[in-house]
Structures are given as C-alpha cells and as structure tokens.
Amino acid sequence: MRRALALLLLLPLAACGGSDGDGLSDVPKGVTFRVEQARQDLQNRHFQLQVVNHGAKPVTVSAARLTSTRLGKASTYEGPATIPAGATVNLTMSMAPASCPTKKSGSGIDATARVTYRVGEGQARTSVVEPKDHYGSVALFMKRDCAESTIADLTVDDTFPVEGKGRDSVLKVGMTFTARENGGPVRLGPVDGTTLLKPAPGSNIRHELVAGSGAYRTTLEIIPNRCDIHVVAEDRTGATMPLHVDSTRSGPAFFFLRFTEPQKKQIFDFVAKHCGFGVEQDPLNAP
C-alpha cells in the first residue's frame, strides 16, 4: 500500500516538471533557438541568439550562456527579455575570438546554449539547446576569426594621405603585416571592394607572408566605388573591406580590414571631396 501511494505521488511531479535528472527542462512546444549575426554587427563582435516563440504564451529569458569548442570563453546574455507569443526576439551577445576548426569541431559553430526562462507566469526553468546557425552567418564569423589568426599582427597607419585632386585623387592606406613565428606561409590578398569603397586601378595586396621574413609593409590606394546618395549613406559596412588570405590552417578565407572612428572620418572626408559633395551637384540635396 505504501509503495502504491509513493508511486501515485511521484507521477504528477514528473509530468508537471518536464525536467531530467539534472534539473533541466524540455524546451516548450513551439519555442526554438537559433544564432545569427546581423549585417550591422559586421563591424564589431556582436551576434544574436534568436528566440522564436510560436507557442501560446510569452517566454521571458533571464539569462543565456552559449559555449562552443571553438570559443575559449562563453558568450553570455543577461536579461530579462520577453518574447511575446508569435514573435522573434534577438538576444545580443559578444563573441570571444574563435579558433580554427578541428576534426572534432568541424567547420560549423559546434555550439550549445544554456537558457534560463519562464513561460507566462510560471516558475523559472533552464533548458540546454543546440541552436541552429540561421543562414550560416555565425560560422562565417568564426571562419573570419580563423583567417585573421593566421597573421600575428596587422597595423593600419593612423593617417591616410590623399594623392591627386578631385575625381583623380586616391586615399593611401598604409599597413604593416607580421607573420606568425610558428605558422606556415600565408598568401595575402586581394582586397575586395564594398558598396562605398574599392581599390584604385592597379593597386591591391598580393604577397606571401612567411615566418622569419620580418614585417611586410605595403600601401593600398582606395577610391569611392560610386558617388551617389545610396553609397554615401552606407556607413555601416561600407568602410569594412574584405582581405582574402589562404593558408594550410584556414584554407581560402577572408577577414575584414577594420578602421577606427578617426580613420573612418578621414575616409568619409575623402569620399566627400573626391565626389565633389557641396561643390558639384550634391546628391544628398539633389531634387
């Protein structure tokens, strides 16, 4: 009789808790998790854990922790953030530099997220999920980190001289590359253009960086890609230029040449002068 009573008492607890022996709960029906890096975050180290709620009740996330075999440090989010029923909400995190893929991790993100949340007015619960990489953008983020890690150091000059005048002018971006002491050869280049900028004709980076060869110094000449309102409004990623590399460690890949705010100011001032904004017909004020 006592045994039967004990079983009756345990059954409702297991049914209501929905958790395993570690105190983890199953993800509520209709709720899924995925990761993505938004376009505006290409200039920084942010990405998003997206909570998609197709359930009947709101979900409030109080904390999330994403780990990966390719990350030396976890990415964390501190809430709360409420995801109404039928909505998708981005939880923005910062990512530590990712390592190159291994046989164990593969080329994907190999990530797990531990999420603490409550459904409606219910009690807090924790679930562990393996978020899908929406559009593969976070795997590309990690691949860029791997590409950048093949170089020991890249220093971009603080000042960009201008050579020439008007539509014949170019902006000269000096930079210095240093090879890794324990790395194999790395083929640098080319640099791709963006909606805002492109390498000037006859100017680009093509060099093999070899350990022990000392620093490699070069200058990239850039010009505006076009002079119109759509281009000059492109201030989110237009000044972020892809630099291709190829090595045994990374394979064919690229990472972004990133510029500081003072450097970006020089770039946008150059674009304005090169295109004649305020002197010729200004596309920002065109009828």
Side-chain angles (χ1 to χ4, degrees):
M1 181 69 180
R2 290 179 181 177
R3 178 179 173 82
L5 180 60
L7 287 173
L8 288 172
L9 290 173
L10 286 173
L11 284 173
L13 291 175
C16 295
S19 61
D20 59 21
D22 295 326
L24 298 176
S25 299
D26 295 334
V27 175
K29 185 177 180 180
V31 179
T32 57
F33 297 86
R34 62 195 187 195
V35 289
E36 180 179 330
Q37 187 182 45
R39 184 169 178 266
Q40 62 266 25
D41 288 326
L42 292 177
Q43 297 186 81
N44 54 48
R45 300 206 57 81
H46 294 163
F47 73 103
Q48 291 75 38
L49 176 65
Q50 293 185 331
V51 186
V52 183
N53 184 10
H54 290 310
K57 296 181 179 180
V59 174
T60 301
V61 176
S62 58
R65 178 183 175 87
L66 184 139
T67 57
S68 168
T69 58
R70 297 185 60 189
L71 296 177
K73 182 180 179 181
S75 298
T76 59
Y77 169 83
E78 295 295 333
T82 298
I83 303 88
T88 298
V89 171
N90 291 336
L91 311 180
T92 299
M93 305 179 178
S94 293
M95 183 185 289
S99 62
C100 291
T102 63
K103 290 183 179 180
K104 180 179 179 180
S105 69
S107 59
I109 61 173
D110 193 31
T112 300
R114 187 181 183 94
V115 186
T116 301
Y117 60 95
R118 57 184 173 84
V119 178
E121 299 300 323
Q123 297 295 314
R125 62 172 74 174
T126 299
S127 298
V128 173
V129 299
E130 294 182 359
K132 293 183 178 180
D133 188 2
H134 200 207
Y135 304 126
S137 57
V138 175
L140 289 176
F141 186 1
M142 291 181 167
K143 188 173 183 178
R144 292 194 297 270
D145 278 354
C146 172
E148 191 167 2
S149 73
T150 62
I151 299 169
D153 185 63
L154 168 57
T155 302
V156 180
D157 291 356
D158 292 330
T159 303
F160 302 156
V162 176
E163 184 177 278
K165 294 183 178 180
R167 298 297 176 98
D168 294 324
S169 61
V170 297
L171 190 67
K172 302 172 77 70
V173 179
M175 57 191 78
T176 303
F177 295 85
T178 304
R180 292 173 61 96
E181 292 184 1
N182 58 349
V186 180
R187 288 182 291 279
L188 304 175
V191 174
D192 287 342
T194 68
T195 53
L196 178 68
L197 305 169
K198 65 181 179 181
S203 178
N204 215 307
I205 298 175
R206 295 188 183 276
H207 180 78
E208 185 169 85
L209 198 63
V210 180
S213 61
Y216 168 62
R217 171 78 181 171
T218 189
T219 298
L220 177 68
E221 297 180 353
I222 61 177
I223 58 175
N225 201 341
R226 303 194 312 271
C227 291
D228 61 61
I229 188 170
H230 302 291
V231 172
V232 298
E234 180 53 89
D235 59 354
R236 289 186 295 177
T237 61
T240 305
M241 304 183 74
L243 168 62
H244 290 265
V245 300
D246 193 353
S247 69
T248 302
R249 189 179 180 195
S250 66
F254 73 88
F255 65 92
F256 291 124
L257 290 176
R258 303 181 185 279
F259 302 106
T260 64
E261 290 304 317
Q263 289 169 337
K264 287 180 185 178
K265 182 179 184 303
Q266 295 176 69
I267 290 172
F268 287 111
D269 285 348
F270 163 73
V271 170
K273 291 179 181 178
H274 179 100
C275 294
F277 299 157
V279 178
E280 302 174 12
Q281 181 175 334
D282 190 336
L284 295 177
N285 297 316

